[in-house]
């Protein structure tokens, strides 16, 4: 079954140290909000960010899960102390160009819920931009409006001289004169059909992913951008360090269908990795044309005969579309929750299957890297895991398992 499960996120195994920062470029709702994982210089003392960046996200999760508000402090007690094993705002390793992955979260999630996958990929020499969507599919998110005269105070743990601190950091520090506006997740009304809402959200999500690529393209070209957060990594350090010829999408559930749609619409993205993709938001029109290059990595317990048939309809267009299933996995096996929940919470929310959580995530990470090498023409040795892309190995099958 692999290593003994422990309630923390694993450190990265790749050859690069991993840094992390948040960008909110254009503080309004129409701007871009993402968490950046990137190769960084080694630092003696690292500032680990909290896994749940703000208490408000606990409230958002409780609201999304339709639990009592009394559950908010309990959720914060269970997860509020967890940190991500990366160096917050560590110096960017500006010694080469890195391929870029834009990551899209699932319904009811937010930018830090897939930290284990994102930081592991970054440790192998990628810049990973995890979008926080403002289509009201996130458990909660926020933007700022201008509030003249309102000046936010710096939290005590902020180091004015930029010296790294071992204290976990949260919340973000906004520029003076900005006021937070929080967006809760939108819920279906009684009797409301789901497809129109989700398809509208999908279109906004696609636009937001392309906008993040636009933003990072501008930064790579040396254009000045203004981060709403004070004291975070200066965007200008990424100049000439992003390989814009090697860009891919990745996402889970709603983020999986978002990734499929992005690659079909924006040719700058060369391929997509769709983790347990939720196929409902995709319109019928999607299946009438070549969608591009997509790698579907499915859990054993989420997909149905209908959704698998939709994936196979897309696969009929070209032989670059791959479908594999991780046996013993559930939908939440692709998120950090599978690593951070004990047996009791796992039973309540089905965050674990029968496969060891770390082993399942390692399959996802290695298969993803092998697929990216193949379709981004990377000069790496990730092809050592090519068999996984074909569905060959322990705990995986090509296509879908026999339906019981």
């Amino acid at each position: 079954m692999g290593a003994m499960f422990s309630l923390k996120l694993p450190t990265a195994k790749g050859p690069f140290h991993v840094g992390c920062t948040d960008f909110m470029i254009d503080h309004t709702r129409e701007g871009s909000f993402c968490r950046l994982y990137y190769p960084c210089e080694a630092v003696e003392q690292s500032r680990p960010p909290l896994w749940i960046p703000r208490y408000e996200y606990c409230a958002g999760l409780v609201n999304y899960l339709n639990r009592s508000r009394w559950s908010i402090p309990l959720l914060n007690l269970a997860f509020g102390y967890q940190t991500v094993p990366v160096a917050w705002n560590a110096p960017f390793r500006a010694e080469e160009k890195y391929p870029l992955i834009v990551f899209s979260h699932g319904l009811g999630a937010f930018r830090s819920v897939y930290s284990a996958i994102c930081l592991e990929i970054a440790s192998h020499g990628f810049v990973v931009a995890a979008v926080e969507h403002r289509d009201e599919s996130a458990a909660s998110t926020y933007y700022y409006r201008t509030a003249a005269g309102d000046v936010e105070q710096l939290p005590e743990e902020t180091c004015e001289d930029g010296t790294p601190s071992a204290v976990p950091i949260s919340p973000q520090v906004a520029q003076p004169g900005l006021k937070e506006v929080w967006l809760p997740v939108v819920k279906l009304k009684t009797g409301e059909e789901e497809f129109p809402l989700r398809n509208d959200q999908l279109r906004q999500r696609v636009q937001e992913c392309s906008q993040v690529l636009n933003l990072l393209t501008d930064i790579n070209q040396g254009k000045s951008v203004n981060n709403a957060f004070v004291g975070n990594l200066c965007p200008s350090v990424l100049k000439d360090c992003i390989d814009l010829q090697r860009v891919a999408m990745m996402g889970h559930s709603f983020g999986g269908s978002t990734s499929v749609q992005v690659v079909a619409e924006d040719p700058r993205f060369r391929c997509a990795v769709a983790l347990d993709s939720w196929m409902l938001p995709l319109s019928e029109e999607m299946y009438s044309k070549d969608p591009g290059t997509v790698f579907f990595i499915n859990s054993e317990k989420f997909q149905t005969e209908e959704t698998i048939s939709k994936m196979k309809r897309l696969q009929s267009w070209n032989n670059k579309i791959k479908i594999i299933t991780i046996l013993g996995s559930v939908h939440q096996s692709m998120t950090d929750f599978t690593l951070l929940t004990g047996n009791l919470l796992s039973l309540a929310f089905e965050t674990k299957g029968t496969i060891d959580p770390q082993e399942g995530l390692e399959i996802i990470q290695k298969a993803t890297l092998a697929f990216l090498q193949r379709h981004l023409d990377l000069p790496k040795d990730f092809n050592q895991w090519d068999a996984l892309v074909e569905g060959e190995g322990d705990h995986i099958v090509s296509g879908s398992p026999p339906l019981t």
Side-chain angles (χ1 to χ4, degrees):
M1 284 290 292
M4 181 69 72
F5 177 72
S6 58
L7 297 178
K8 63 180 181 179
L9 297 180
T11 55
K13 299 179 180 64
F16 295 90
H17 298 284
V18 179
C20 184
T21 195
D22 282 342
F23 284 166
M24 187 184 289
I25 310 299
D26 179 0
H27 62 269
T28 70
R29 185 171 178 175
E30 290 72 36
S32 292
F33 189 11
C34 65
R35 171 153 290 187
L36 214 67
Y37 305 82
Y38 56 89
C40 73
E41 302 291 351
V43 291
E44 290 185 7
Q45 256 190 328
S46 64
R47 300 177 73 192
L50 289 171
W51 179 62
I52 295 184
R54 299 277 299 270
Y55 186 82
E56 290 87 346
Y57 288 99
C58 291
L61 284 168
V62 166
N63 174 46
Y64 170 67
L65 295 170
N66 294 315
R67 297 298 197 271
S68 164
R69 290 190 62 82
W70 293 104
S71 303
I72 298 173
L74 295 176
L75 191 70
N76 186 60
L77 185 65
F79 298 114
Y81 68 94
Q82 292 284 358
T83 59
V84 182
V86 292
W88 184 252
N89 286 326
F92 185 80
R93 184 183 179 276
E95 298 177 19
E96 58 185 280
K97 284 181 176 286
Y98 304 101
L100 171 68
I101 310 297
V102 177
F103 195 101
S104 174
H105 65 71
L107 181 64
F110 41 90
R111 68 189 185 281
S112 61
V113 168
Y114 304 89
S115 292
I117 288 175
C118 292
L119 70 90
E120 180 63 26
I121 291 174
S123 78
H124 288 276
F126 292 81
V127 171
V128 182
V131 182
E132 188 158 291
H133 290 292
R134 289 169 168 163
D135 62 332
E136 297 175 284
S137 68
S140 197
T141 188
Y142 64 103
Y143 59 96
Y144 292 99
R145 62 177 174 80
T146 303
D150 287 338
V151 179
E152 304 212 5
Q153 299 298 313
L154 297 179
E156 292 181 2
E157 69 268 22
T158 298
C159 303
E160 294 182 0
D161 62 356
T163 303
S165 165
V167 178
I169 77 105
S170 187
Q172 299 281 9
V173 184
Q175 293 182 4
L178 298 179
K179 199 73 172 177
E180 290 177 1
V181 180
W182 283 84
L183 283 173
V185 66
V186 66
K187 297 184 179 181
L188 282 176
K189 299 172 184 175
T190 303
E192 181 182 6
E193 187 182 349
E194 188 160 22
F195 173 76
L197 169 63
R198 303 310 181 195
N199 187 252
D200 284 347
Q201 289 179 313
L202 178 69
R203 295 180 185 281
Q204 180 173 336
R205 285 166 149 262
V206 169
Q207 188 271 332
E208 288 172 341
C209 291
S210 291
Q211 185 169 292
V212 165
L213 178 52
N214 293 341
L215 162 68
L216 291 170
T217 298
D218 286 346
I219 291 171
N220 192 63
Q221 293 173 349
K223 296 181 182 178
S224 178
V225 299
N226 187 24
N227 194 355
F229 299 130
V230 174
N232 281 14
L233 185 77
C234 181
S236 65
V237 300
L238 275 69
K239 182 178 183 292
D240 294 328
C241 289
I242 300 175
D243 188 344
L244 294 171
Q245 302 306 310
R246 292 184 167 102
V247 181
M249 268 302 304
M250 189 172 185
H252 172 245
S253 194
F254 205 166
S257 55
T258 302
S259 299
V260 173
Q261 190 79 40
V262 167
V263 168
E265 291 188 11
D266 191 334
R268 296 176 298 173
F269 292 88
R270 291 176 58 177
C271 60
V273 178
L275 305 177
D276 226 10
S277 182
W278 186 34
M279 302 301 284
L280 181 143
L282 295 168
S283 67
E284 184 64 26
E285 180 186 2
M286 170 59 67
Y287 302 96
S288 63
K289 57 187 178 183
D290 188 341
T293 303
V294 182
F295 186 20
F296 290 101
I297 304 179
N298 295 332
S299 74
E300 186 176 3
K301 298 299 183 182
F302 180 70
Q303 301 298 339
T304 65
E305 191 171 0
E306 179 184 1
T307 59
I308 291 293
S309 69
K310 288 182 176 181
M311 294 176 189
K312 289 182 177 178
R313 284 175 64 189
L314 295 175
Q315 190 179 41
S316 68
W317 283 97
N318 70 62
N319 60 9
K320 293 181 180 179
I321 293 182
K322 300 290 184 181
I323 306 170
I324 67 169
T325 299
I326 301 177
L327 302 176
S329 63
V330 297
H331 196 52
Q332 294 299 324
S333 295
M334 317 240 172
T335 74
D336 294 343
F337 284 107
T338 196
L339 298 167
L340 299 179
T341 50
N343 292 332
L344 188 60
L345 281 175
S346 177
L347 286 173
F349 298 106
E350 199 178 8
T351 58
K352 295 183 207 170
T354 56
I355 190 171
D356 176 81
Q358 292 199 26
E359 190 170 2
L361 284 172
E362 283 183 14
I363 291 172
I364 293 169
Q365 293 156 358
K366 291 175 179 178
T368 294
L369 291 170
F371 180 81
L372 293 175
Q373 173 164 340
R374 186 181 298 186
H375 296 290
L376 297 182
D377 303 316
L378 301 174
K380 300 283 188 176
D381 63 352
F382 306 148
N383 55 0
Q384 64 184 294
W385 302 307
D386 268 349
L388 297 176
V389 181
E390 304 302 327
E392 301 170 3
D394 295 337
H395 308 294
I396 59 172
V397 293
S398 178
S400 58
L403 297 173
T404 57

